[in-house]
Amino acid sequence: MSSQQDVPRLFHIPLKYISLVTLTFQNSALILIMHYSRVMPGYDSSSRYFASTAVLLNEIIKLCVCSAVAAYDRGLRLAWIEVFSRDCWKLAIPACLYTVQNSLQYVAVSNLDAATFQVTYQLKIITTAIFSVTMLHRSLSPLKWMSLLMLTLGIALVQLPHDVISIVASSFNLTLRLTGGSDDESETAKEEHHSLEGEDAMNRTLGLVAVLIACILSGLAGVYFEKVLKGTNASLWVRNVQLSFFSIFPALFIGVLWKDGASIAEKGFFFGYNPVVWTAIGFQAGGGIVVALCVNFADNIAKNFATSISILISFIASVYFFDFVVTANFVLGAILVLIATYLYSKPDRRSSTVRTQNKGEYRPVPLQGTTSEDISPRSPRPALGAFNEKRQ
């Protein structure tokens, strides 16, 4: 009875379930809105907003929000001292990596449909595992290695053209056709599905390369963040103020001034902006903050469930809103990715024992480009009181 009363609640609803809904909504809505903002009707490559300005505004919003919370939580003077401490420069490297990663996400969603991006982006699990083994000298169980191989196979299937699967299937006298109807009807559906301005110019190869590089940067930045700051006791908000502060410099000088400086000077900083663009920026800025807080109350099962449901929602929304053509290799690959994600996140018996012994310590979770999948099951969650620590 007492254990049920100790469960954190909001409006008499356990925060675990609220976190589950929030994680699912954030994971699916962010990618769908970002993709639509890049392919929406009435805007082409010459009239679309500059992604570099969106990345910069994203960092500015996160800096303002995290600074306000850090000042309220720690006090203005103490927060200033902690933010600009002697080791704050160590955050410059992951901040730069996260900024480039966010920029590549815009390139990816501009050239891949939302469902394909959601599935392919799970590749960051593989890159994080590789960097954890090489940089942190961690060992992975045979189950985790098997899940990584399954994840690689699933992503490869999603990226394979449907013609390849059809040729292989025909050699075994099998029929793998999920689009319905004849080949002529399939081709007609593919022609009709290019109803959005940006989808006519989508470059699948460019989108895939952008996702691959973004996943590598995500894994490297996350592991570097953990390696460099291991053992520090700075709060979640202070660390993310530092990340947002250092992220502004590459976003401004490399993205806005160097990459799009001439075009922005000619057309204006807010050229091509509309409510959809502002919504995408708001979701990206607030999403990391929401996820970092929600992960405290959601266990691995809830996190995996949110990931699976968000991929399913993106898949259904892509079919309904963007006329995504369903293929057998996508369905099979997505199923393998979901199973592999669950198996990899499943805690080992040994690691669960270690987490129990180290229950009191925690590692701040970066908000830059964070989704629920970025939170490693090995990472101890901060205690609830860590976010509401009273000033003395």
Side-chain angles (χ1 to χ4, degrees), residues 55 58-59 62 91-105 121 214 217-226 240 243 247 250 284 363 365-370 374:
V55 173
N58 170 37
E59 301 302 335
K62 283 190 289 191
L91 275 295
I93 295 178
C96 183
L97 295 177
Y98 281 128
T99 303
V100 177
Q101 173 198 344
N102 290 338
S103 301
L104 290 173
Q105 283 184 347
Y121 199 56
L217 295 179
S218 175
L220 178 60
V223 173
Y224 176 88
F225 186 91
E226 180 176 359
N240 286 286
L243 279 174
S247 296
Q284 191 175 29
R363 176 174 57 89
V365 179
L367 305 184
Q368 310 292 328
T370 303
D374 292 326

Side-chain angles (χ1 to χ4, degrees), residues 4 14 98 105 119 144 185 194 215 312 315 319 378 382 387:
Q4 294 181 353
Y98 281 128
Q105 283 184 347
V119 175
K144 292 191 183 299
E185 292 174 349
H194 290 297
C215 289
L312 180 61
F315 170 72
V319 173
R378 289 177 173 266
F387 299 112

Side-chain angles (χ1 to χ4, degrees), residues 239-272:
R239 285 306 183 195
N240 286 286
V241 168
Q242 295 170 331
L243 279 174
S244 299
F245 175 77
F246 286 110
S247 296
I248 287 179
F249 295 100
L252 174 62
F253 292 105
I254 298 179
V256 174
L257 297 180
W258 180 68
K259 180 178 177 293
D260 297 322
S263 300
I264 292 176
E266 177 185 355
K267 299 180 179 180
F269 185 90
F270 296 103
F271 174 78

